[in-house]
């Protein structure tokens, strides 16, 4: 089971956090501090895994962004590495050549996507197409709602 | 009207922006200022200000809904950065009630991020979730199910369970899938609540949609883990599903990097491993499909290796079969021979699993394992120690434990230090070849990790010293004790020792310090007094020390010798009798009292070497019977129990129960204090019983971390240990074999041998000796013989085999020496080139080659060219500086795929990919053809333009903001 997902930049800035196991706000800060110290200092050729307090943290670096997932000691690290990649590929498809800035400004969208990939710390959908379809369906519904709102506000502004 | 206008403006802004729609300028500014914050403190200040303003504005009446949505997102942002936004939770909860999907979704998202499942506000959401689960719109149902997974706790499960079960038959597969996941979550929360629904999972396994089927594997995995036998009938179904998946019968959409549904395969393999464990019949069904997967799986991709690794796990778990075991061993050796650290790590793990079935498999990989052990990567090293721990036998325990202790001394991570220390203790207790070695090993462990160990370990050690190793040989036991005493007296010279270790030392010195007559009582007492003056000494150690002094004195008195009271001992007694701790006071007074007794009384109070004798408690105080009888005869009133006195209950068995309770109560009470021996009557038996408090753990200080101590203690400790090796340890031959000096001299051979194993390792050590590689052959074989010896002592390989290996390893360096003269940069790559191996080197190597290309470009301002492409945008030319700095920094930031799996033809494409992705902008200027899927330039340009429009620029702080994550 995945206990949490953290995205941190090379400077140690938090870009996204999602906790599947209960952690208090204080614990969260400690975890992030400890892990960023541990992971950001690792050289490029070393393992993408870190053993940490009886758990394992699998991380993968994309440009200047680190995707980290904390898992149980008996989970398959290589699989988690690919789950991270799966997530990034879906982000990439959604945003169109995703970059760190997309995630910074649209972190809530990244959350929606993550929610379609992982539920309760498990991979719920391994088909990119299925995820993309669902997200698109949700977005289109939001879009139509927005258009409606837009036309109303137009009418109002015309009335004024 | 004003508000409506702002909505209009926001909407207008949202529609024109290319990438970041829907957010107000304020929010963009906030994110921007966070991005530009130079320190955590500055970031905190910005967020605190933001929280302040949000707190004010969110509470205003009639906040428009869309604006509220943004506030909520801003709260999520603040919370994500580690600040408390609890004042806004209720607004997020309110937002989930909204009719619009967009707002509802935001509300649910915020609530799932804010609240844990035991939060008070959950009860307000359950109703909404119930309502949404019944919605006609499947998207709303999906959102509600996602939220239910996070928010529904044990108490609220019954409220939503019927609806979730109904959704298992929903026409939309996305809903069915999420319903399954939700039920799985409910099962994790409270297995009993869904126990009647297990048949549903079985049914969903046959769902038409692979996504639903895949999701069903999670609850089934948990159920099977809990109770294997009820699901044996499913083995055949699982095997046939796995077979179909492996044969690519699933829709193409489930393929991942050309692998057919690997994530489903992995989960199925995990389930089969459980079902086949120790079951010959079930395993019989599995062998075939495992063989197929081993054959089909590509080991060139990361995901292929993930599946292979899971196959190995499955093979090691089910009933052994020679054929699949061979396949597993072969895959394992591929992992171990790989260049990638990740694969080596997996290989070591796999090896650890396989040797449980067939220990001989390890033999082939001796050198690879030793390379991993010496690897600079801590993760790999620890995994290797885990493997060694698993394969420890009485023949190799000395080597392995010594290595573990050396590593333990070198690390700072207290968590792992504790783990490795307790492993050392466990191995030493289990396999110790000699008493002396055992004592030495324990000394080292205690010296360096004493504060991290469980007190039980210390008590165990004392017990072992007292009881010996169970052999009836008294001579060996007393030898063990005197060697312990000798080493402890020596160790006491160290400036700092962990308190737990001091306790052991005090106890042993007290019991056996004078036993062999080598040391005089006053010498030992002097040492014990010194202990109490050491500044790390706490009350517990003082208590141990004063008790030890008491024992020594008692033994002296028993032997009829005169005890001369040393001045420091007298001052210690004086100090302790005035101590704040009643326990210490008591011990001090007891000692004083003991000194006044005659030798016979003393002997019955403190019999010699009686720590192992069982002490029988006489709860009824029967030895007082005669005294009581006497008193009654003299006319004293008989004792009436308290209950009878008060007249409420007179049942005698209640009485005893009451007494029992009372005694247990006092015990519990004392656990929080230092143990206080029960008030001592002058009768011998009872005062003997106080002696047992020596062995009773005094404060409950299991696993306490004193980081400061640890950190400050390290340097002297390592010095001390190296000094110790010479004086203290008489490990015949072992230390010489493993002593530090050999590391430096072996560098040339290690590097050459590494290559034979397909390992490239860059360490500064090997480069200086490179020049002497030709003439160092003689030395080399000698040193590699050293390594062979390590292998032999670890694995117990036969001499013939190692010699064969030696011959083969010597051949390799010749090939590499030809390329060795090249300048330093290409050094890492050269072995690969020279070998012309199919496996390419990992990209970072190629990056080194690519470096000159990328660093020559930045003379042209990429942004100018960009602007030309998009058309006129208000581009500030002040950017130039920051951009060039980003260019200079680029080379070391370029490792996009630090872990690209080696594949036969990826070396070129990944090299190009790296150059290509090194900077999107300069790439445009150079017109490097894009080979891979790559970024869509138009897209990125658009994005850059928008970013700059809102005022975000890649500063020197983070030049990579625009960089594609997937280059």
């Amino acid at each position: 089971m995945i206990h949490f997902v953290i995205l941190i930049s090379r400077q140690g800035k938090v870009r996204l956090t999602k906790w599947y196991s209960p952690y208090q706000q204080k614990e969260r800060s400690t975890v992030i501090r400890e892990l960023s110290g541990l992971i950001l200092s690792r050289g490029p050729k070393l393992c993408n895994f870190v053993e940490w307090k009886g758990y394992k943290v699998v991380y993968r670096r994309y440009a200047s962004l680190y995707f980290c997932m904390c898992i149980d000691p008996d989970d398959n690290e290589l699989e988690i590495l690919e789950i991270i990649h799966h997530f990034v590929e879906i982000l990439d498809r959604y945003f169109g050549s995703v970059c760190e800035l997309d995630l910074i400004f649209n972190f809530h969208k990244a959350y929606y996507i993550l929610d379609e990939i992982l539920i309760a710390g498990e991979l719920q959908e391994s088909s990119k197409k299925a995820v993309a379809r669902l997200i698109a369906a949700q977005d289109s519904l939001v879009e139509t709602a927005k258009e409606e709102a837009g036309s109303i506000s137009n009418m109002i502004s015309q009335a004024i | 009207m004003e508000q409506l206008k702002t909505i209009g403006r926001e909407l207008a802004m949202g529609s024109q922006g290319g990438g970041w729609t829907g957010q107000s300028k304020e929010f963009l500014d906030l994110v921007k200022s966070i991005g530009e914050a130079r320190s955590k403190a500055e970031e905190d200040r910005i967020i605190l200000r933001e929280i302040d303003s949000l707190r004010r504005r969110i509470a205003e009446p009639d906040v428009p809904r869309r604006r509220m949505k943004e506030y909520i997102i801003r709260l999520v942002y603040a919370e994500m950065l580690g600040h408390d936004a609890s004042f806004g939770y209720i607004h997020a909860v309110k937002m989930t009630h909204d009719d619009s999907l967009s707002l509802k979704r935001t509300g649910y998202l915020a609530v799932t991020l804010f609240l844990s499942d035991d939060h008070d506000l959950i009860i307000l959401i359950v109703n909404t979730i119930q309502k949404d689960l019944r919605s006609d719109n499947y998207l709303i149902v999906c959102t509600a199910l996602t939220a239910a997974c996070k928010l529904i706790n044990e108490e609220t499960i019954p409220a939503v369970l019927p609806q979730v079960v109904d959704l298992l038959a929903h026409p939309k597969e996305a809903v069915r899938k999420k319903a399954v996941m939700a039920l799985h979550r409910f099962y994790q929360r409270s297995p009993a609540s869904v126990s009647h629904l297990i048949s549903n999972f079985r049914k969903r396994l046959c769902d038409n949609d692979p996504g639903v089927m895949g999701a069903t594997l999670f609850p089934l995995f948990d159920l099977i883990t809990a109770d294997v036998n009820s699901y044996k009938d499913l083995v055949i179904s699982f095997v046939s599903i796995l077979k179909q998946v492996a044969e690519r019968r699933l829709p193409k959409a489930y393929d991942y990097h050309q692998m057919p549904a690997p994530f489903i395969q992995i989960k199925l393999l995990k389930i089969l491993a459980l079902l086949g464990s120790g079951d010959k019949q079930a395993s019989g069904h599995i062998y075939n499909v495992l063989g197929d997967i081993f054959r089909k799986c590509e080991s060139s991709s990361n995901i292929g290796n993930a599946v292979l690794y899971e196959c190995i796990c499955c093979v090691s778990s089910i009933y052994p079969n020679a054929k699949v075991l061979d396949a597993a061993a072969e895959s394992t050796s591929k992992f171990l021979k790989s260049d990638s650290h990740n694969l080596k790590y997996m290989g070591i793990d796999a090896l650890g699993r396989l040797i449980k079935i067939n220990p001989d498999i390890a033999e082939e990989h001796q050198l690879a394992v030793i390379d991993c052990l010496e690897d600079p990567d801590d993760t790999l090293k620890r995994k290797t120690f885990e493997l060694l721990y698993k394969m420890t036998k009485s023949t190799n325990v000395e080597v392995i434990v010594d290595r573990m202790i050396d590593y333990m001394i070198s690390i700072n991570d207290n968590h792992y230090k504790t783990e490795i220390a307790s492993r050392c203790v466990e191995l030493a207790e289990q396999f110790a070849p000699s008493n002396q070695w055992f004592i030495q090993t324990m000394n080292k462990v205690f010296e360096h990790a004493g504060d991290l160990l469980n007190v039980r370990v210390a008590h165990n050690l004392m017990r072992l010293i007292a009881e010996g190793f169970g052999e009836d040989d008294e001579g060996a036991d007393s030898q063990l004790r005197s060697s312990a005493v000798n080493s402890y007296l020596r160790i006491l010279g160290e400036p700092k020792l962990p308190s737990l270790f001091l306790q052991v030392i005090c106890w042993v010195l007290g019991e056996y310090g004078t036993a062999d007559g080598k040391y005089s009582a006053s010498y030992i007492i002097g040492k014990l007094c010194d202990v109490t003056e050491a500044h790390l000494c706490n009350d517990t150690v003082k208590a141990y020390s004063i008790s030890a002094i008491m024992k020594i004195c008692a033994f002296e008195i028993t032997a009829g010798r005169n005890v001369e009271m040393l001045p420091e001992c007298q001052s210690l007694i004086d100090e302790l009798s005035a101590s704040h701790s009643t326990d210490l006071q008591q011990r001090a007074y007891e000692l004083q009292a003991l000194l006044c007794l005659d030798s016979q009384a003393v002997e019955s109070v403190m019999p010699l070497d009686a720590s192992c004798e069982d002490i029988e408690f006489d709860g009824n105080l029967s030895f007082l019977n005669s005294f009581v009888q006497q008193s009654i005869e003299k006319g004293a009133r008989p004792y009436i129990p308290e209950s009878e006195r008060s007249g409420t209950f007179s049942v005698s068995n209640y009485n005893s129960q009451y007494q029992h309770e009372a005694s247990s109560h006092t015990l519990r009470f004392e656990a929080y204090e230092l143990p206080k021996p029960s008030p001592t009557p002058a009768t011998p038996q009872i005062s003997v019983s106080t002696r047992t408090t020596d062995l009773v753990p005094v404060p409950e200080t299991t696993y306490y971390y004193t980081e400061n101590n640890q950190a400050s203690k390290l340097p002297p400790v390592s010095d001390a240990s190296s000094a110790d090796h010479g004086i203290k340890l008489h490990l015949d031959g072992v230390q010489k074999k493993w002593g530090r000096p050999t590391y430096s001299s072996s560098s040339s051979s290690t590097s050459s041998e590494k290559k034979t194993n397909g390992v490239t390792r860059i360490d500064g050590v090997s480069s200086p000796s490179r020049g002497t590689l030709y003439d160092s052959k003689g030395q080399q074989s000698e040193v590699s013989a050293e390594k062979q010896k390590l292998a032999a002592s670890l694995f117990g390989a036969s001499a013939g085999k190692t010699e064969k290996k030696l011959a083969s390893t010597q051949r390799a360096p010749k090939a590499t020496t030809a390329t060795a003269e090249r300048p330093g940069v290409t050094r890492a790559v050269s072995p690969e080139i020279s070998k012309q191996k199919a496996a390419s080197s990992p990209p970072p190597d190629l990056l080194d080659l690519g470096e000159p290309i990328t660093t020559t470009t930045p003379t042209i301002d990429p942004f100018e060219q960009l602007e030309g492409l998009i058309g006129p945008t208000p581009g500030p030319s002040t950017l130039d500086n920051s951009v060039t700095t980003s260019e200079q920094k680029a080379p070391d930031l370029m490792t996009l795929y630090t872990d690209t799996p080696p594949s036969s033809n990826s070396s070129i494409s990944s090299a190009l990919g790296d150059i290509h992705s090194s900077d999107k902008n300069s790439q445009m200027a150079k017109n490097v053809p894009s080979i891979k899927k790559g970024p869509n330039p138009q897209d990125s340009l658009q994005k850059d333009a928008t970013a700059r429009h809102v005022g975000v620029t890649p500063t020197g702080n983070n030049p990579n903001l625009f960089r594609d994550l997937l280059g």
Side-chain angles (χ1 to χ4, degrees), chain B residues 93 256 294 355 401 449 451 483 573 716 807 830 844 866 914 929 933:
Chain B
V93 172
Y256 179 85
F294 270 124
I355 54 166
V401 170
D451 284 329
S483 77
I573 295 174
S830 53
L866 272 182
D914 284 330
K933 172 194 153 270

Side-chain angles (χ1 to χ4, degrees), chain B residues 565-636:
Chain B
M565 193 40 71
L566 298 170
E568 64 254 44
C569 182
Q570 190 56 52
S571 69
L572 175 70
I573 295 174
D574 293 344
E575 182 205 324
L576 294 189
S577 358
S579 165
H580 288 299
S581 156
T582 47
D583 173 60
L584 290 181
Q585 272 192 35
Q586 169 126 21
R587 283 171 201 261
Y589 283 120
E590 273 173 22
L591 172 55
Q592 278 172 320
L594 187 106
L595 289 174
C596 308
L597 295 176
D598 64 83
S599 71
Q600 253 174 347
V602 170
E603 191 177 2
S604 47
V605 174
M606 288 274 173
L608 197 63
D609 189 21
S611 59
C612 304
E613 314 283 304
D614 288 329
I615 295 160
E616 281 174 26
F617 284 94
D618 188 355
N620 294 327
L621 309 179
S622 58
F623 53 87
L624 287 174
N625 281 352
S626 58
F627 175 75
V628 172
Q629 207 63 39
Q630 238 172 349
S631 308
I632 291 178
E633 276 165 17
K634 278 181 191 163

